[in-house]
Amino acid sequence: MKITLIGLGVREGDLTKRAETALKNSKKILARTSFGSLKGFEVQTLDNLFLSSRNYDTLNKKLAAAVLDAAKECDVCYCVDGAVCEDAACRIILKRHKNAEIIEGISKSAYAASVAGLSQYTAVSAYDIGELKSCRAAVVYDIDSELIAGDVKQILTKFFGEETECVFIRGEEKLKIKVYEIDRQKNYGNQSAVAVEEGEFLKKERYDYADVETLVKLLRAPDGCPWDRVQTNESIKSNVVEEAYELADAIERGDDDGIEEETGDVLLQAAFHSVLKEEQGVFDGADAITRLVKKLIFRHSHIFGKDKASDSAEALGVWEKNKTVEKEQKTYTDTVEAVPKNMPACMRAQKVGKRAAKCGMDFLSPVSASEKLSEEIAELLEACVAGDKDAIFDEAGDVLYSAVNVCRLAGVDCEEALRHAVDKFTKRFKEFERLAVNSGERIEDMDPSRWDYYWALAKNAIKKN
C-alpha cells in the first residue's frame, strides 16, 4: 500500500493545498502527535508510543513500525510537524517502504533561520547534536527539554563559544541570549530551536583548524606580513622539528598549559605547509586530512577490516603489515631505506636496526650484541693508537651503532636512555662543581683523584635527593 508522508510546517496556515487534498482523500491518517492544523480530519495520534519508548531512537523506530504496519492494510498518510526531511521516523520509513510519497512542509530549521535572519547555515536536530561539525552558522531544532538543551549548549560552546550571542526561538517567540543560557530557559518544546552565527574573524570567541589556514592566507596576502609572505616549505622545515620538541618537553614537564600552547604551534606548522602547497597547486589541507583519515582506517584493519588483534603487540603488527602494503615496500631494504635520514642519529639507528632485524638477521641477545660492541671498541682503540683520523671516525660510528643494538635488544628506547643519561650527568656535574667550590677548590686545578672524590660525593647527594 502507499504511504504519504506529510510535513505540516511550523505555524498555523503552513499546510499546503496539496497536503490538504491528500488528507481529504486518505483512508487512514496517522500523526506523530496532536496538531492544530489537522483539525477537521479524522486522525489517529501515536502519543502512546512516547510513553513506551526509552529514548528518542527507540521512539522513532516504533513510530516507523506503526506506520509501516498500518500501510499493510490500506493507504496511509503520516503527518509530522515541520518537514519530512527533518523527521527521523520518516527517514526510516523511506528506507523500508518503496511506495512512499513526500509532501514537504516548511522545516523547523528554515523557520528558525528566517526568524534569526540567517541565509546560510547548517541545520541539525538537537537529538543529533553530536554530529554537528564546525560551521559558520547553525540552527538546532527539536530542543524539547532542559536535558537536551544542555547537550546543545555544550556542543555549541565548543564551536562558537559560550559568550556568543544566539537566538532562542520558541514558536512565535524570539529571544536573544548567550550560548551558555540555552539550558536556562523556562519552557522547551518541539517548536524550540536555537540559531547561532559566528562573529567577525578577528572577534570570534572560538577558532578551528580551518581558521588557522585562513589566518596563514591572510598573513601571506599582498597586504599581509612581510616575513610570512617570503616563507617556503624549505625555509620553515626546521620549525616543525623545533615545535615538536617543545611539545614533547611540555609533556615531560606535565605542563598542561604548555601542552595546549605547543599543540597549537605544531598545528600551525601543518597548516602553513599545506597552505604553501595549496598556493603551488599541489594539495590543500583537506587533501592532507583526507589522506590521513583514509590511512588510519586502512592501517587499523583489526578495527575496520577483517584482521584481528587481541593486544597492543598484535595491533602494532597489523599496523606494520598494512604500512608496508600502503608504502609498496616489497623488500626489507625498502623498509630500512624508508627511515627518515634527518631523524636524530640515535633514534634512526635503533629504527634501522629494528627493521633490519625483521628478516631474522640479528643478534640472539643483548649479551651476544655486547660481544660485537667489545670488538668495535677494540678497533676504535687501535685506530686511536695509529692516529688515523678517518679510521677513528669510522670506528667511532661502529661503536655507537653497536651500543644502540645492545640497548635495542635489551628493550630500551635508546634516544630516551641517552637523554636520561645526559640529564643525569648534568645534575651530577652541577652538584660536583657546587661541592668543590664550597670546599674552596678550583676545579681546573684539581687532580683526577680530587675529581673522583667530589664526583662520588655528588653521586651520593643526587641519589639521596
Side-chain angles (χ1 to χ4, degrees):
M1 299 296 178
K2 181 180 178 181
I3 296 177
T4 303
L5 301 174
I6 299 177
L8 301 175
V10 179
R11 296 173 296 179
E12 292 291 332
D14 284 347
L15 187 66
T16 65
K17 287 291 184 182
R18 185 172 165 223
E20 190 174 352
T21 301
L23 290 169
K24 287 179 180 178
N25 296 330
S26 178
K27 294 182 179 179
K28 190 176 187 66
I29 301 173
L30 298 178
R32 193 166 66 85
T33 189
S34 300
F35 300 115
S37 55
L38 293 178
K39 187 177 180 180
F41 296 99
E42 186 177 340
V43 181
Q44 177 185 337
T45 64
L46 300 176
D47 290 311
N48 61 306
L49 297 180
F50 284 75
L51 299 175
S52 63
S53 299
R54 292 172 298 175
N55 52 49
Y56 192 68
D57 183 56
T58 301
L59 170 63
N60 285 317
K61 290 177 180 178
K62 288 186 176 182
L63 289 169
V67 175
L68 291 168
D69 286 343
K72 292 177 182 178
E73 300 178 359
C74 64
D75 293 344
V76 175
C77 279
Y78 176 57
C79 302
V80 297
D81 53 336
V84 171
C85 64
E86 290 183 346
D87 188 87
C90 287
R91 291 196 290 271
I92 296 173
I93 293 168
L94 288 169
K95 285 182 179 179
R96 297 183 182 177
H97 196 81
K98 294 181 179 180
N99 189 17
E101 179 185 3
I102 298 174
I103 301 179
E104 199 57 281
I106 297 174
S107 68
K108 299 174 186 177
S109 61
Y111 171 71
S114 66
V115 171
L118 297 180
S119 58
Q120 294 183 339
Y121 56 91
T122 297
V124 62
S125 167
Y127 286 88
D128 298 322
I129 190 64
E131 298 177 9
L132 182 67
K133 297 182 179 180
S134 179
C135 56
R136 295 185 62 83
V139 173
V140 185
Y141 55 93
D142 286 339
I143 307 178
D144 57 12
S145 70
E146 183 179 343
L147 178 64
I148 293 299
D151 294 338
V152 172
K153 179 187 74 172
Q154 183 178 7
I155 298 299
L156 293 186
T157 295
K158 174 183 176 182
F159 291 124
F160 296 94
E162 64 177 13
E163 291 288 340
T164 299
E165 277 198 351
C166 61
V167 180
F168 185 84
I169 298 103
R170 182 171 47 238
E172 300 287 339
E173 184 182 357
K174 169 185 173 182
L175 183 64
K176 284 190 175 182
I177 61 173
K178 297 291 183 68
V179 167
Y180 72 83
E181 296 177 298
I182 290 175
D183 62 347
R184 300 182 184 182
Q185 304 309 300
K186 294 181 179 180
N187 298 304
Y188 300 93
N190 58 1
Q191 298 296 321
S192 297
V194 165
V196 59
E197 185 176 24
E198 65 181 14
E200 296 177 26
F201 185 78
L202 298 181
K203 296 180 180 179
K204 290 174 61 173
E205 189 179 340
R206 300 282 293 178
Y207 294 93
D208 58 20
Y209 181 77
D211 290 318
V212 181
E213 290 192 330
T214 297
L215 182 58
V216 173
K217 292 174 182 178
L218 290 173
L219 295 174
R220 286 182 58 78
D223 59 346
C225 174
W227 184 89
D228 289 284
R229 282 204 308 268
V230 300
Q231 299 311 309
T232 65
N233 292 105
E234 184 68 24
S235 70
I236 62 171
K237 67 179 181 182
S238 62
N239 294 0
V240 178
V241 178
E242 179 182 335
E243 298 297 353
Y245 275 119
E246 290 182 2
L247 173 57
D249 183 62
I251 293 171
E252 290 176 4
R253 297 195 312 269
D255 180 359
D256 287 342
D257 185 66
I259 293 172
E260 178 184 5
E261 180 182 359
E262 300 304 338
T263 297
D265 290 344
V266 171
L267 288 174
L268 170 61
Q269 297 307 311
F272 211 135
H273 282 284
S274 66
V275 167
L276 289 170
K277 285 303 175 185
E278 182 179 357
E279 292 173 353
Q280 299 164 25
V282 181
F283 65 84
D284 61 19
D287 294 324
I289 292 173
T290 298
R291 182 171 183 171
L292 168 66
V293 174
K294 287 184 176 181
K295 177 172 68 177
L296 292 176
I297 292 172
F298 178 76
R299 292 189 186 179
H300 285 87
S301 57
H302 54 293
I303 303 297
F304 307 111
K306 296 181 179 179
D307 287 320
K308 303 294 182 183
S310 58
D311 55 36
S312 60
E314 290 183 2
L316 183 60
V318 172
W319 173 280
E320 294 292 350
K321 179 200 72 172
N322 291 335
K323 184 176 180 180
T324 59
V325 173
E326 173 196 310
K327 299 287 186 181
E328 297 184 350
Q329 296 170 345
K330 296 181 172 60
T331 67
Y332 292 107
T333 300
D334 288 340
T335 65
V336 170
E337 290 183 334
V339 178
K341 293 182 179 180
N342 60 355
M343 264 187 173
C346 187
M347 184 185 297
R348 184 185 177 212
Q350 180 159 353
K351 205 168 189 69
V352 165
K354 184 178 180 181
R355 291 192 179 184
K358 289 185 180 298
C359 71
M361 189 189 76
D362 199 8
F363 297 98
L364 296 176
S365 67
V367 175
S368 59
S370 68
E371 295 173 358
K372 181 64 175 176
L373 174 59
S374 298
E375 179 185 320
E376 296 296 351
I377 292 174
E379 292 178 1
L380 172 60
L381 295 177
E382 289 178 9
C384 289
V385 171
D388 186 340
K389 291 185 177 180
D390 290 339
I392 291 172
F393 179 83
D394 191 54
E395 296 301 339
D398 289 345
V399 168
L400 293 172
Y401 187 73
S402 295
V404 167
N405 279 332
V406 174
C407 296
R408 173 176 60 82
L409 288 164
V412 174
D413 184 316
C414 300
E415 191 74 19
E416 290 294 319
L418 182 56
R419 288 199 311 111
H420 175 72
V422 173
D423 289 342
K424 181 171 63 177
F425 174 85
T426 301
K427 290 178 182 178
R428 288 178 178 176
F429 185 84
K430 179 180 179 180
E431 184 66 12
F432 158 80
E433 184 176 28
R434 188 188 70 80
L435 291 170
V437 171
N438 288 349
S439 297
E441 301 268 14
R442 280 173 52 86
I443 297 177
E444 56 270 31
D445 295 335
M446 292 192 308
D447 60 35
S449 64
R450 300 299 291 167
W451 291 342
D452 291 342
Y453 171 72
Y454 284 110
W455 189 257
L457 290 179
K459 284 179 65 176
N460 288 332
I462 295 297
K463 284 181 180 179
K464 289 179 181 179
N465 294 332

